[in-house]
Amino acid sequence: MALPICVTIIIICSYFLICNDGVEAFHSIYPGLQSISVRSVNKLHRTAYHFQPRRNWINDPNGPMYYNGVYHLFYQYNPKGAVWGNIIWGHAVSKDLINWKELEPALYPSNPFDKYGCWSGSATVLPGKGPVILYTGVIDKHSNEVQLYAIPENKSDPFLRKWVKPKAFNPIIKPERAMNASVFRDPTTAWWSTDGHWRILIGGSRKNRGMAYLYRSKDFLKWIRVKHPIHSAASTGTWECPDFYPVSLKGKNGLDISSVGNSVKHVLKNSLDKTRYEYYTIGTYFRNKDKYIPDNTSEDGWGGLRYDYGNFYASKSFFDPSKNRRVVWAWANESDSKEDDVKKGWAGIQAIPRTVWLDSQGRQLLQWPVEELNSLREKEVNLSNQKLKKGDYVKVKGITAAQADVEISFSFSSLEKAEAFDSRWVNPENVCAEKGSKNEGGIGPFGLLTLASEKLEEFTPVFFRIFKASNNHVILMCSDATSSSLKTELYKPSFAGFVDVDLSIHKKLSLRTLIDHSVVESFGVGGKTNILSRVYPTLAIKKKAHLFVFNNGTEHITVENLRAWSMKSARRN
Ligand SMILES: *[C@@H]1O[C@H](CO)[C@@H](O)[C@H](O)[C@H]1NC(C)=O
Ligand SMILES: *[C@@H]1O[C@H](CO)[C@@H](O)[C@H](O)[C@H]1NC(C)=O
Ligand SMILES: *[C@@H]1O[C@H](CO)[C@@H](O)[C@H](O)[C@H]1NC(C)=O
Ligand SMILES: *[C@@H]1O[C@H](CO)[C@@H](O)[C@H](O)[C@H]1NC(C)=O
Ligand SMILES: *[C@@H]1O[C@H](CO)[C@@H](O)[C@H](O)[C@H]1NC(C)=O
Ligand SMILES: *[C@H]1O[C@@H](CO)[C@H](O)[C@@H](O)[C@@H]1NC(C)=O
């Protein structure tokens, strides 16, 4: 369960003098807004192929799974309004992860243990027995939490529409007295070990130390906490939505959750409530010790590896046995204000589901939109061998630039003109904010101008910029919202990440960007560094949106190949 950040309390309270209603828990922060429903939703910036429900607020993806030929996506949902609150589990099903059918909610408060909310959780498909959902129930106004389970009422129903919460064993896990019960949530999918036990993780913290509690069970009903957490890290605050899964050292195939073997590593991902970003480590899972230890190449904290350096949170993965892949889902929140959300009648989308696998060097994960997305590609335009001098920008004509998929590769002949890298630049976002696309460089900035108005009053550039450090080159990838909209009162971050690539052999960089009205979702260098931005152009909308390639560095850049497609809208229902 991901909660809206606390600092907004102050802002919202000053707008609506209604916060001192005696509710102290930090999630009850928009009591005056959370149940305002609108008659008709504003379609202007709605997405055409990124999943969102018909109206209202959504956040975390929950319980993704593939069962009997159907993909299920559940999600945190406010059925009454467009800000967080009244949380239940929405439910949608799909045959291809792209076109969805929205169903009735799967879980909603129905007993004393989830009276104040059905928060995030996961699904496990038990061999021969079918799916089980584990989720967090909120028992009171102080957000004290327990874990519950639910099973399908009828396993033969192809869509698993109805879920029941058996009384006999629920809640299956309660916090112990020494634990902080208000930060004890988001059970993972369970894995099975040859000692005959199922195991799950639950996120939490002790003081400021983030941790993933480990529980085991023989029968999936009676759960016992293992004495130590599987892993914890100082100063990281509460770990939300932990995700723990095996990845293969050999190739792109995903692994089922319980896989073991010599060529298996593990990934632990946590969503940090403190920063509202996630990070992951790659490491070794010592089964007999119930311990996970990150590799020394994975930083274990704020500055660690991220799936995505933009609006991307509370992610959750699942193994898809039909295509032998692991797929990760995540929530991308809005960058406009709560008042805007109430007016437009909706807030929150899901990022495009991504296949995730381990890079051949074993140091990071790679991600790529699921291949089914390509079925939405229609009209294609392409460009090759286009030279870009400093200050050039070239329009990509002939596609619906507000709803598009673009793949592009760039090359250049020398690294000589790279600007000097300042070793104090630890946070790529600061470098992106300082250097931007408007600040001319040596090699780059070069890339795409997405959601651009004809005269470039508005645009969201996605670009690379190359620097020379003392003994290597540093590649910065930015998705900069600074000029994305003429509307001023928006969150316009200069999202950025460094890209781990060796340019000494091939001086080439590639980029794929999915553009969807208020989404610019980019995959740098085959999915090494990825950034999802939410933007709200006022001029660059629908047919008035344009796409350009540009170069603002002195080194000449060649667009080796560009392929861009208009995208069809995904079917909903
Ligand atoms: C369960 O679902 C199947 C398939 O939809 C249906 O034929 C059957 O009648 C259902 N059983 C009950 C008890 O509702
Ligand atoms: C429990 O966690 C909440 C939320 O982070 C925090 O406000 C509270 O101080 C914690 N309580 C204790 C006893 O640590
Ligand atoms: C990291 O661990 C590997 C073995 O897993 C070891 O060879 C290497 O020296 C370690 N590096 C550092 C910086 O500790
Ligand atoms: C370029 O686009 C045209 C149609 O616009 C298409 O026929 C052709 O196959 C494309 N070429 C490549 C290399 O993709
Ligand atoms: C390129 O640099 C020029 C000069 O600084 C600036 O006016 C222009 O906006 C830049 N282009 C982009 C796409 O940022
Ligand atoms: C998404 O919205 C922005 C702007 O309000 C906040 O700064 C982010 O913290 C928030 N992200 C999450 C995960 O809540």
Side-chain angles (χ1 to χ4, degrees):
M1 176 68 216
L3 304 171
I5 47 170
C6 306
V7 288
T8 51
I9 297 173
I10 303 153
I11 304 160
I12 299 297
C13 286
S14 55
Y15 281 132
F16 305 90
L17 298 163
I18 41 163
C19 284
N20 57 348
D21 64 351
V23 179
E24 66 162 45
F26 42 88
H27 56 273
S28 300
I29 52 180
Y30 316 111
L33 297 181
Q34 69 189 21
S35 301
I36 298 177
S37 70
V38 290
R39 208 166 292 148
S40 64
V41 302
N42 185 331
K43 296 217 167 78
L44 184 61
H45 292 115
R46 273 177 77 79
T47 57
Y49 62 93
H50 284 76
F51 178 83
Q52 59 180 154
R54 250 167 270 150
R55 55 173 61 221
N56 297 332
W57 165 274
I58 68 166
N59 52 303
D60 311 4
N62 292 150
M65 67 170 161
Y66 178 81
Y67 186 68
N68 280 349
V70 175
Y71 293 102
H72 293 259
L73 173 67
F74 304 89
Y75 45 89
Q76 295 282 283
Y77 183 57
N78 178 356
K80 295 183 180 161
V83 301
W84 186 86
N86 313 307
I87 292 295
I88 65 173
W89 278 41
H91 185 194
V93 289
S94 170
K95 292 246 156 123
D96 61 7
L97 292 168
I98 299 298
N99 298 291
W100 291 91
K101 181 180 174 65
E102 250 179 87
L103 303 174
E104 59 272 40
L107 300 175
Y108 41 85
S110 64
N111 66 47
F113 300 105
D114 60 14
K115 190 169 170 202
Y116 290 83
C118 297
W119 287 8
S120 288
S122 305
T124 306
V125 179
L126 300 186
K129 291 193 177 152
V132 180
I133 283 172
L134 300 179
Y135 72 102
T136 298
V138 183
I139 61 171
D140 59 21
K141 282 187 173 181
H142 310 289
S143 93
N144 282 306
E145 294 150 22
V146 297
Q147 318 308 324
L148 297 110
Y149 83 105
I151 51 176
E153 188 180 85
N154 178 359
K155 274 186 295 183
S156 310
D157 167 11
F159 293 158
L160 305 174
R161 283 171 186 264
K162 292 218 159 64
W163 291 77
V164 292
K165 309 162 188 173
K167 284 220 171 66
F169 289 88
N170 271 322
I172 49 166
I173 301 175
K174 288 183 179 173
E176 292 154 57
R177 200 167 304 160
M179 290 161 62
N180 187 339
S182 72
V183 286
F184 177 60
R185 53 179 173 259
D186 310 338
T188 61
T189 297
W191 68 95
W192 190 84
S193 289
T194 48
D195 66 357
H197 285 91
W198 291 96
R199 282 173 173 75
I200 57 166
L201 302 182
I202 299 175
S205 57
R206 193 182 299 138
K207 303 227 167 73
N208 204 14
R209 173 174 280 275
M211 52 184 64
Y213 294 108
L214 177 61
Y215 284 79
R216 59 187 164 85
S217 172
K218 277 207 157 117
D219 57 6
F220 228 83
L221 296 169
K222 210 164 145 264
W223 292 85
I224 293 163
R225 185 170 63 83
V226 174
K227 278 208 180 70
H228 50 261
I230 196 165
H231 188 57
S232 70
S235 320
T236 49
T238 298
W239 286 2
E240 298 192 293
C241 304
D243 196 15
F244 185 61
Y245 56 87
V247 282
S248 173
L249 280 163
K250 295 181 186 152
K252 291 174 67 166
N253 278 353
L255 295 175
D256 204 347
I257 183 94
S258 306
S259 303
V260 292
N262 288 336
S263 48
V264 172
K265 301 285 296 182
H266 270 76
V267 173
L268 176 63
K269 185 279 306 180
N270 294 300
S271 308
L272 302 184
D273 192 28
K274 269 193 146 183
T275 58
R276 308 300 286 169
Y277 293 124
E278 315 188 299
Y279 80 94
Y280 68 84
T281 53
I282 294 161
T284 306
Y285 171 35
F286 297 95
R287 267 164 210 272
N288 50 356
K289 296 197 181 112
D290 279 323
K291 269 280 171 201
Y292 164 79
I293 299 181
D295 289 351
N296 58 16
T297 46
S298 278
E299 184 178 334
D300 195 9
W302 303 127
L305 290 163
R306 299 196 354 216
Y307 283 135
D308 193 290
Y309 294 82
N311 294 57
F312 193 94
Y313 195 71
S315 67
K316 190 176 287 300
S317 71
F318 74 105
F319 175 68
D320 173 6
S322 76
K323 294 204 167 180
N324 273 316
R325 61 183 170 182
R326 181 158 289 275
V327 174
V328 61
W329 278 102
W331 162 47
N333 71 339
E334 301 298 311
S335 287
D336 60 4
S337 69
K338 298 294 156 197
E339 294 72 36
D340 288 335
D341 294 343
V342 170
K343 266 190 233 145
K344 65 193 209 280
W346 59 274
I349 62 159
Q350 298 296 321
I352 288 295
R354 305 172 176 183
T355 308
V356 60
W357 70 99
L358 189 62
D359 177 55
S360 58
Q361 311 230 5
R363 283 200 309 252
Q364 72 160 105
L365 297 172
L366 299 178
Q367 296 157 74
W368 202 244
V370 293
E371 61 189 16
E372 289 89 337
L373 182 67
N374 298 2
S375 68
L376 297 180
R377 288 173 167 178
E378 53 188 355
K379 186 172 181 211
E380 178 185 347
V381 298
N382 49 46
L383 204 85
S384 58
N385 218 0
Q386 171 85 45
K387 298 265 187 300
L388 298 174
K389 297 191 302 298
K390 190 179 88 174
D392 282 353
Y393 54 97
V394 174
K395 192 193 267 186
V396 179
K397 291 190 193 128
I399 54 160
T400 54
Q403 195 173 314
D405 182 356
V406 191
E407 291 196 49
I408 185 164
S409 58
F410 303 94
S411 69
F412 48 93
S413 54
S414 149
L415 285 164
E416 256 163 48
K417 296 193 178 117
E419 302 159 81
F421 186 75
D422 184 332
S423 59
R424 286 168 304 181
W425 289 343
V426 188
N427 183 348
E429 209 170 310
N430 295 341
V431 188
C432 181
E434 189 182 319
K435 296 279 178 177
S437 63
K438 295 185 184 172
N439 207 321
E440 293 173 9
I443 310 174
F446 63 84
L448 296 171
L449 302 183
T450 69
L451 296 174
S453 57
E454 181 74 48
K455 296 195 177 126
L456 298 185
E457 298 95 332
E458 289 180 330
F459 59 95
T460 301
V462 183
F463 60 94
F464 296 109
R465 195 160 182 142
I466 298 163
F467 298 92
K468 172 94 180 79
S470 49
N471 44 27
N472 63 328
H473 285 86
V474 177
I475 295 116
L476 177 75
M477 174 174 156
C478 296
S479 179
D480 188 2
T482 311
S483 304
S484 58
S485 178
L486 293 180
K487 195 163 186 267
T488 48
E489 63 282 24
L490 293 168
Y491 172 57
K492 294 177 177 172
S494 301
F495 285 137
F498 295 122
V499 196
D500 182 6
V501 32
D502 180 3
L503 292 174
S504 60
I505 310 162
H506 300 294
K507 291 170 187 54
K508 281 188 188 177
L509 289 170
S510 65
L511 178 68
R512 178 172 181 189
T513 296
L514 307 174
I515 304 160
D516 193 1
H517 302 280
S518 59
V519 183
V520 178
E521 184 175 7
S522 302
F523 299 82
V525 192
K528 285 195 164 188
T529 299
N530 311 306
I531 309 176
L532 193 158
S533 297
R534 297 301 311 282
V535 295
Y536 311 88
T538 61
L539 303 171
I541 54 170
K542 310 221 161 112
K543 287 188 174 144
K544 292 193 200 124
H546 303 280
L547 175 71
F548 297 87
V549 290
F550 82 103
N551 176 23
N552 243 349
T554 43
E555 174 74 24
H556 291 190
I557 302 293
T558 302
V559 175
E560 299 237 309
N561 193 21
L562 172 148
R563 300 180 73 187
W565 294 266
S566 293
M567 293 292 271
K568 285 182 276 194
S569 299
R571 282 194 314 278
R572 308 216 171 104
N573 296 314

